[in-house]
Amino acid sequence: EVHLVESGGGLVQTGGSLRLSCFASESEFGDLGIGWFRQAPGKEREAVACISRGNRGTDYADSVKGRFTISSDIANNMVHLQMNNLKPEDPAVYYCAGDRSSLSRCTMTSGWYDYWGRGTQVTVST
């Protein structure tokens, strides 16, 4: 069983930055594709970004392209989501998820993910 733990959420002003981190308990972290998803109150969960196993590729939601960057630190079993220029539409609970199935490309489809963290809250003040 893989356990994922998110950290780094908090309160930031519009235009500010946060870096979220996702730590995975498993030694085979490099065999997982990792995705970041978010869910705001009253809204459906949406994909934000993903990174494939072995850091072969990334993908982003159109709403965050150019502002968010996903990266992996395989040696430390961590994936980071650097969020810059945060906007009023970005507040949500952010979740990281692990996918064992995808190979060279990561997926932005939540149904493919096998493991989920409990989330970290991101709040943006205007």
Side-chain angles (χ1 to χ4, degrees):
E1 182 74 15
V2 176
H3 296 284
L4 302 174
V5 180
E6 303 93 339
S7 63
L11 172 65
V12 65
Q13 290 185 333
T14 299
S17 298
L18 283 174
R19 189 175 84 152
L20 305 184
S21 296
C22 174
F23 173 77
S25 63
E26 186 176 272
S27 60
E28 291 81 27
F29 178 74
D31 291 333
L32 296 176
I34 298 292
W36 281 98
F37 295 81
R38 67 186 181 187
Q39 188 167 19
K43 295 186 177 180
E44 294 187 355
R45 182 171 55 193
E46 62 175 348
V48 176
C50 67
I51 189 164
S52 65
R53 61 170 66 184
N55 196 18
R56 296 177 186 176
T58 59
D59 199 3
Y60 296 90
D62 288 342
S63 59
V64 306
K65 282 181 180 177
R67 301 189 297 123
F68 292 10
T69 303
I70 189 170
S71 62
S72 65
D73 178 0
I74 295 176
N76 292 301
N77 286 16
M78 297 185 78
V79 167
H80 305 291
L81 184 68
Q82 178 67 42
M83 306 187 297
N84 297 329
N85 189 21
L86 283 160
K87 298 181 177 182
E89 56 264 36
D90 292 322
V93 177
Y94 283 69
Y95 301 90
C96 71
D99 161 35
R100 285 195 175 279
S101 303
S102 300
L103 297 176
S104 59
R105 297 183 62 182
C106 62
T107 177
M108 297 282 273
T109 302
S110 62
W112 281 99
Y113 285 84
D114 307 291
Y115 312 105
W116 292 83
R118 293 187 175 184
T120 185
Q121 178 72 51
V122 171
T123 304
V124 180
S125 65
T126 57

Short mmCIF file of all heavy atoms in Angstrom, two decimals, residues 1-6 22-37 45 53 94-102 107 109-119:
data_model
loop_
_atom_site.label_atom_id
_atom_site.label_comp_id
_atom_site.label_asym_id
_atom_site.label_seq_id
_atom_site.Cartn_x
_atom_site.Cartn_y
_atom_site.Cartn_z
N GLU A 1 0.84 -1.19 0.00
CA GLU A 1 0.00 0.00 0.00
C GLU A 1 0.88 1.25 0.00
O GLU A 1 1.81 1.35 0.79
CB GLU A 1 -0.91 0.00 1.23
CG GLU A 1 -1.87 1.18 1.31
CD GLU A 1 -3.01 1.08 0.32
OE1 GLU A 1 -3.24 -0.02 -0.22
OE2 GLU A 1 -3.68 2.09 0.09
N VAL A 2 0.57 2.16 -0.87
CA VAL A 2 1.32 3.41 -0.97
C VAL A 2 0.56 4.50 -0.21
O VAL A 2 -0.63 4.67 -0.39
CB VAL A 2 1.47 3.83 -2.45
CG1 VAL A 2 2.16 5.18 -2.53
CG2 VAL A 2 2.25 2.78 -3.21
N HIS A 3 1.27 5.19 0.62
CA HIS A 3 0.69 6.32 1.35
C HIS A 3 1.27 7.61 0.81
O HIS A 3 2.50 7.76 0.71
CB HIS A 3 0.96 6.20 2.84
CG HIS A 3 0.33 5.00 3.46
ND1 HIS A 3 -1.02 4.92 3.74
CD2 HIS A 3 0.85 3.81 3.83
CE1 HIS A 3 -1.30 3.74 4.26
NE2 HIS A 3 -0.19 3.05 4.33
N LEU A 4 0.40 8.53 0.48
CA LEU A 4 0.81 9.83 -0.05
C LEU A 4 0.42 10.92 0.95
O LEU A 4 -0.70 10.92 1.46
CB LEU A 4 0.14 10.10 -1.40
CG LEU A 4 0.39 9.09 -2.50
CD1 LEU A 4 -0.46 9.40 -3.73
CD2 LEU A 4 1.86 9.05 -2.87
N VAL A 5 1.34 11.84 1.19
CA VAL A 5 1.09 12.92 2.14
C VAL A 5 1.44 14.24 1.49
O VAL A 5 2.59 14.43 1.05
CB VAL A 5 1.91 12.73 3.43
CG1 VAL A 5 1.63 13.88 4.40
CG2 VAL A 5 1.59 11.39 4.09
N GLU A 6 0.47 15.13 1.45
CA GLU A 6 0.70 16.45 0.89
C GLU A 6 1.09 17.44 1.98
O GLU A 6 0.68 17.30 3.14
CB GLU A 6 -0.57 16.99 0.20
CG GLU A 6 -1.13 16.13 -0.89
CD GLU A 6 -2.19 15.17 -0.39
OE1 GLU A 6 -2.22 14.89 0.83
OE2 GLU A 6 -3.00 14.69 -1.21
N CYS A 22 4.45 16.44 -2.27
CA CYS A 22 3.77 15.16 -2.09
C CYS A 22 4.84 14.13 -1.78
O CYS A 22 5.74 13.91 -2.60
CB CYS A 22 3.02 14.78 -3.36
SG CYS A 22 2.29 13.14 -3.35
N PHE A 23 4.74 13.53 -0.62
CA PHE A 23 5.70 12.50 -0.21
C PHE A 23 5.03 11.13 -0.33
O PHE A 23 3.89 10.95 0.13
CB PHE A 23 6.17 12.73 1.23
CG PHE A 23 7.01 11.62 1.76
CD1 PHE A 23 8.33 11.48 1.38
CD2 PHE A 23 6.47 10.67 2.62
CE1 PHE A 23 9.11 10.45 1.86
CE2 PHE A 23 7.24 9.63 3.11
CZ PHE A 23 8.56 9.51 2.73
N ALA A 24 5.73 10.19 -0.93
CA ALA A 24 5.22 8.83 -1.07
C ALA A 24 6.01 7.89 -0.20
O ALA A 24 7.24 7.96 -0.13
CB ALA A 24 5.30 8.38 -2.52
N SER A 25 5.31 6.98 0.46
CA SER A 25 5.95 6.10 1.43
C SER A 25 6.70 4.96 0.78
O SER A 25 7.50 4.31 1.42
CB SER A 25 4.88 5.52 2.36
OG SER A 25 3.97 4.73 1.62
N GLU A 26 6.46 4.72 -0.49
CA GLU A 26 6.98 3.50 -1.10
C GLU A 26 8.36 3.70 -1.72
O GLU A 26 8.64 4.72 -2.33
CB GLU A 26 6.02 3.03 -2.18
CG GLU A 26 6.38 1.70 -2.80
CD GLU A 26 5.33 1.25 -3.79
OE1 GLU A 26 4.38 0.60 -3.36
OE2 GLU A 26 5.48 1.57 -4.98
N SER A 27 9.18 2.68 -1.60
CA SER A 27 10.53 2.75 -2.16
C SER A 27 10.51 2.73 -3.68
O SER A 27 11.43 3.22 -4.31
CB SER A 27 11.39 1.61 -1.64
OG SER A 27 10.81 0.36 -2.01
N GLU A 28 9.42 2.17 -4.25
CA GLU A 28 9.31 2.14 -5.71
C GLU A 28 8.63 3.40 -6.23
O GLU A 28 7.88 3.39 -7.19
CB GLU A 28 8.53 0.91 -6.17
CG GLU A 28 9.24 -0.40 -5.95
CD GLU A 28 9.09 -0.89 -4.53
OE1 GLU A 28 8.10 -0.54 -3.86
OE2 GLU A 28 10.00 -1.61 -4.06
N PHE A 29 8.90 4.52 -5.60
CA PHE A 29 8.28 5.78 -5.99
C PHE A 29 8.48 6.07 -7.46
O PHE A 29 7.61 6.62 -8.14
CB PHE A 29 8.86 6.90 -5.12
CG PHE A 29 8.36 8.27 -5.45
CD1 PHE A 29 7.08 8.65 -5.09
CD2 PHE A 29 9.15 9.17 -6.13
CE1 PHE A 29 6.61 9.92 -5.38
CE2 PHE A 29 8.68 10.44 -6.43
CZ PHE A 29 7.41 10.81 -6.05
N GLY A 30 9.62 5.69 -7.98
CA GLY A 30 9.92 5.94 -9.38
C GLY A 30 9.04 5.19 -10.35
O GLY A 30 9.01 5.50 -11.54
N ASP A 31 8.28 4.21 -9.86
CA ASP A 31 7.37 3.45 -10.73
C ASP A 31 5.97 4.06 -10.76
O ASP A 31 5.07 3.50 -11.39
CB ASP A 31 7.26 2.00 -10.24
CG ASP A 31 8.55 1.23 -10.46
OD1 ASP A 31 9.29 1.61 -11.38
OD2 ASP A 31 8.79 0.27 -9.71
N LEU A 32 5.78 5.15 -10.08
CA LEU A 32 4.46 5.79 -10.03
C LEU A 32 4.41 7.03 -10.91
O LEU A 32 5.34 7.83 -10.90
CB LEU A 32 4.12 6.21 -8.60
CG LEU A 32 3.96 5.11 -7.56
CD1 LEU A 32 3.71 5.75 -6.19
CD2 LEU A 32 2.80 4.19 -7.91
N GLY A 33 3.32 7.18 -11.62
CA GLY A 33 2.99 8.49 -12.17
C GLY A 33 2.28 9.26 -11.06
O GLY A 33 1.53 8.68 -10.28
N ILE A 34 2.55 10.53 -10.94
CA ILE A 34 1.96 11.34 -9.88
C ILE A 34 1.14 12.47 -10.50
O ILE A 34 1.59 13.15 -11.42
CB ILE A 34 3.02 11.94 -8.96
CG1 ILE A 34 3.80 10.84 -8.25
CG2 ILE A 34 2.38 12.89 -7.94
CD1 ILE A 34 3.01 10.04 -7.24
N GLY A 35 -0.04 12.65 -9.99
CA GLY A 35 -0.89 13.74 -10.44
C GLY A 35 -1.29 14.63 -9.28
O GLY A 35 -1.37 14.17 -8.14
N TRP A 36 -1.50 15.88 -9.60
CA TRP A 36 -2.08 16.82 -8.64
C TRP A 36 -3.50 17.17 -9.13
O TRP A 36 -3.70 17.49 -10.30
CB TRP A 36 -1.26 18.10 -8.54
CG TRP A 36 -0.03 17.96 -7.70
CD1 TRP A 36 1.25 17.74 -8.14
CD2 TRP A 36 0.05 18.06 -6.28
NE1 TRP A 36 2.10 17.69 -7.07
CE2 TRP A 36 1.40 17.88 -5.92
CE3 TRP A 36 -0.89 18.28 -5.26
CZ2 TRP A 36 1.84 17.92 -4.59
CZ3 TRP A 36 -0.45 18.33 -3.94
CH2 TRP A 36 0.90 18.15 -3.63
N PHE A 37 -4.43 17.11 -8.20
CA PHE A 37 -5.81 17.44 -8.47
C PHE A 37 -6.27 18.45 -7.44
O PHE A 37 -5.65 18.60 -6.39
CB PHE A 37 -6.69 16.19 -8.39
CG PHE A 37 -6.37 15.16 -9.44
CD1 PHE A 37 -5.31 14.30 -9.28
CD2 PHE A 37 -7.13 15.07 -10.60
CE1 PHE A 37 -4.98 13.35 -10.26
CE2 PHE A 37 -6.83 14.14 -11.58
CZ PHE A 37 -5.75 13.28 -11.40
N ARG A 45 -13.91 17.72 -8.72
CA ARG A 45 -12.47 17.62 -8.68
C ARG A 45 -11.90 17.77 -10.09
O ARG A 45 -12.46 17.21 -11.04
CB ARG A 45 -12.05 16.27 -8.10
CG ARG A 45 -10.56 16.06 -7.96
CD ARG A 45 -10.28 14.80 -7.18
NE ARG A 45 -10.94 13.65 -7.75
CZ ARG A 45 -11.05 12.48 -7.14
NH1 ARG A 45 -10.56 12.31 -5.93
NH2 ARG A 45 -11.66 11.47 -7.74
N ARG A 53 6.03 8.44 -14.59
CA ARG A 53 7.05 7.69 -13.88
C ARG A 53 8.40 7.95 -14.54
O ARG A 53 8.48 8.08 -15.77
CB ARG A 53 6.73 6.21 -13.88
CG ARG A 53 6.66 5.57 -15.25
CD ARG A 53 6.56 4.07 -15.17
NE ARG A 53 5.31 3.63 -14.57
CZ ARG A 53 5.04 2.35 -14.32
NH1 ARG A 53 5.95 1.43 -14.58
NH2 ARG A 53 3.90 1.99 -13.79
N TYR A 94 -5.96 20.67 -2.49
CA TYR A 94 -5.11 20.06 -3.50
C TYR A 94 -4.70 18.67 -3.04
O TYR A 94 -4.22 18.50 -1.91
CB TYR A 94 -3.88 20.92 -3.75
CG TYR A 94 -4.17 22.12 -4.61
CD1 TYR A 94 -4.94 23.18 -4.14
CD2 TYR A 94 -3.67 22.21 -5.92
CE1 TYR A 94 -5.21 24.29 -4.93
CE2 TYR A 94 -3.94 23.32 -6.71
CZ TYR A 94 -4.71 24.35 -6.22
OH TYR A 94 -4.98 25.43 -7.00
N TYR A 95 -4.89 17.71 -3.93
CA TYR A 95 -4.56 16.32 -3.64
C TYR A 95 -3.48 15.81 -4.59
O TYR A 95 -3.50 16.14 -5.77
CB TYR A 95 -5.79 15.43 -3.84
CG TYR A 95 -6.98 15.78 -2.99
CD1 TYR A 95 -7.94 16.69 -3.44
CD2 TYR A 95 -7.17 15.20 -1.74
CE1 TYR A 95 -9.04 17.02 -2.68
CE2 TYR A 95 -8.27 15.51 -0.96
CZ TYR A 95 -9.19 16.42 -1.44
OH TYR A 95 -10.30 16.74 -0.66
N CYS A 96 -2.59 15.00 -4.07
CA CYS A 96 -1.72 14.27 -4.98
C CYS A 96 -2.19 12.83 -5.05
O CYS A 96 -2.80 12.31 -4.10
CB CYS A 96 -0.25 14.37 -4.58
SG CYS A 96 0.23 13.45 -3.11
N ALA A 97 -1.91 12.20 -6.17
CA ALA A 97 -2.37 10.85 -6.42
C ALA A 97 -1.30 10.07 -7.17
O ALA A 97 -0.52 10.65 -7.93
CB ALA A 97 -3.67 10.88 -7.22
N GLY A 98 -1.28 8.76 -6.94
CA GLY A 98 -0.29 7.90 -7.57
C GLY A 98 -0.93 6.90 -8.52
O GLY A 98 -1.96 6.31 -8.19
N ASP A 99 -0.32 6.73 -9.65
CA ASP A 99 -0.84 5.85 -10.70
C ASP A 99 0.22 4.81 -11.07
O ASP A 99 1.32 5.16 -11.47
CB ASP A 99 -1.19 6.72 -11.92
CG ASP A 99 -1.30 5.93 -13.20
OD1 ASP A 99 -1.76 4.77 -13.15
OD2 ASP A 99 -0.95 6.47 -14.26
N ARG A 100 -0.15 3.54 -10.97
CA ARG A 100 0.79 2.47 -11.31
C ARG A 100 0.70 2.05 -12.77
O ARG A 100 1.58 1.35 -13.26
CB ARG A 100 0.51 1.24 -10.45
CG ARG A 100 0.98 1.34 -9.03
CD ARG A 100 0.99 -0.03 -8.37
NE ARG A 100 1.54 0.02 -7.04
CZ ARG A 100 2.84 0.04 -6.76
NH1 ARG A 100 3.71 0.04 -7.75
NH2 ARG A 100 3.26 0.07 -5.52
N SER A 101 -0.36 2.45 -13.44
CA SER A 101 -0.64 1.86 -14.76
C SER A 101 0.05 2.57 -15.91
O SER A 101 0.54 1.93 -16.84
CB SER A 101 -2.15 1.86 -15.00
OG SER A 101 -2.81 1.17 -13.98
N SER A 102 0.05 3.89 -15.87
CA SER A 102 0.58 4.65 -17.01
C SER A 102 2.08 4.45 -17.14
O SER A 102 2.79 4.33 -16.15
CB SER A 102 0.29 6.14 -16.83
OG SER A 102 -1.09 6.35 -16.74
N THR A 107 -1.28 10.64 -16.85
CA THR A 107 -2.67 10.85 -17.19
C THR A 107 -3.29 11.93 -16.32
O THR A 107 -2.95 12.07 -15.15
CB THR A 107 -3.48 9.55 -17.04
OG1 THR A 107 -4.86 9.83 -17.31
CG2 THR A 107 -3.37 8.97 -15.63
N THR A 109 -6.54 11.93 -15.96
CA THR A 109 -7.84 11.33 -15.64
C THR A 109 -7.78 10.72 -14.25
O THR A 109 -7.02 9.77 -14.01
CB THR A 109 -8.20 10.26 -16.68
OG1 THR A 109 -8.22 10.86 -17.97
CG2 THR A 109 -9.56 9.66 -16.38
N SER A 110 -8.60 11.23 -13.35
CA SER A 110 -8.51 10.81 -11.95
C SER A 110 -8.80 9.33 -11.76
O SER A 110 -8.25 8.70 -10.85
CB SER A 110 -9.47 11.64 -11.10
OG SER A 110 -10.81 11.45 -11.52
N GLY A 111 -9.63 8.75 -12.63
CA GLY A 111 -10.00 7.36 -12.48
C GLY A 111 -8.85 6.38 -12.64
O GLY A 111 -8.95 5.22 -12.21
N TRP A 112 -7.77 6.82 -13.22
CA TRP A 112 -6.62 5.95 -13.41
C TRP A 112 -5.74 5.88 -12.16
O TRP A 112 -4.85 5.05 -12.10
CB TRP A 112 -5.77 6.45 -14.58
CG TRP A 112 -6.34 6.07 -15.90
CD1 TRP A 112 -7.09 6.87 -16.73
CD2 TRP A 112 -6.23 4.81 -16.56
NE1 TRP A 112 -7.44 6.18 -17.87
CE2 TRP A 112 -6.93 4.92 -17.79
CE3 TRP A 112 -5.60 3.61 -16.24
CZ2 TRP A 112 -7.01 3.86 -18.68
CZ3 TRP A 112 -5.69 2.56 -17.14
CH2 TRP A 112 -6.39 2.69 -18.34
N TYR A 113 -5.97 6.75 -11.22
CA TYR A 113 -5.09 6.81 -10.07
C TYR A 113 -5.52 5.85 -8.97
O TYR A 113 -6.71 5.72 -8.66
CB TYR A 113 -5.02 8.25 -9.54
CG TYR A 113 -4.18 9.11 -10.44
CD1 TYR A 113 -4.71 9.70 -11.58
CD2 TYR A 113 -2.82 9.29 -10.18
CE1 TYR A 113 -3.92 10.45 -12.43
CE2 TYR A 113 -2.02 10.05 -11.02
CZ TYR A 113 -2.58 10.62 -12.15
OH TYR A 113 -1.79 11.36 -13.00
N ASP A 114 -4.52 5.18 -8.42
CA ASP A 114 -4.76 4.12 -7.46
C ASP A 114 -4.67 4.60 -6.01
O ASP A 114 -5.29 4.00 -5.12
CB ASP A 114 -3.73 3.00 -7.66
CG ASP A 114 -3.68 2.51 -9.10
OD1 ASP A 114 -4.68 1.88 -9.51
OD2 ASP A 114 -2.67 2.77 -9.79
N TYR A 115 -3.87 5.60 -5.76
CA TYR A 115 -3.61 6.04 -4.40
C TYR A 115 -3.80 7.55 -4.30
O TYR A 115 -3.41 8.29 -5.20
CB TYR A 115 -2.16 5.68 -4.00
CG TYR A 115 -1.77 4.27 -4.31
CD1 TYR A 115 -0.94 3.97 -5.39
CD2 TYR A 115 -2.25 3.21 -3.55
CE1 TYR A 115 -0.59 2.68 -5.70
CE2 TYR A 115 -1.91 1.90 -3.85
CZ TYR A 115 -1.09 1.64 -4.92
OH TYR A 115 -0.75 0.35 -5.22
N TRP A 116 -4.35 7.97 -3.18
CA TRP A 116 -4.65 9.39 -2.97
C TRP A 116 -4.21 9.84 -1.59
O TRP A 116 -4.33 9.09 -0.61
CB TRP A 116 -6.15 9.63 -3.11
CG TRP A 116 -6.65 9.46 -4.50
CD1 TRP A 116 -6.99 8.29 -5.12
CD2 TRP A 116 -6.85 10.48 -5.47
NE1 TRP A 116 -7.39 8.53 -6.41
CE2 TRP A 116 -7.30 9.88 -6.65
CE3 TRP A 116 -6.67 11.87 -5.46
CZ2 TRP A 116 -7.60 10.59 -7.81
CZ3 TRP A 116 -6.98 12.59 -6.60
CH2 TRP A 116 -7.43 11.95 -7.76
N GLY A 117 -3.70 11.07 -1.54
CA GLY A 117 -3.43 11.68 -0.26
C GLY A 117 -4.69 12.32 0.31
O GLY A 117 -5.75 12.29 -0.32
N ARG A 118 -4.56 12.92 1.49
CA ARG A 118 -5.72 13.53 2.14
C ARG A 118 -5.92 14.99 1.76
O ARG A 118 -6.95 15.58 2.09
CB ARG A 118 -5.58 13.40 3.66
CG ARG A 118 -5.66 11.97 4.14
CD ARG A 118 -5.68 11.89 5.65
NE ARG A 118 -5.87 10.53 6.12
CZ ARG A 118 -5.99 10.19 7.38
NH1 ARG A 118 -5.97 11.11 8.31
NH2 ARG A 118 -6.16 8.92 7.73
N GLY A 119 -4.96 15.57 1.11
CA GLY A 119 -5.13 16.92 0.60
C GLY A 119 -4.53 17.98 1.49
O GLY A 119 -4.30 17.78 2.68
#
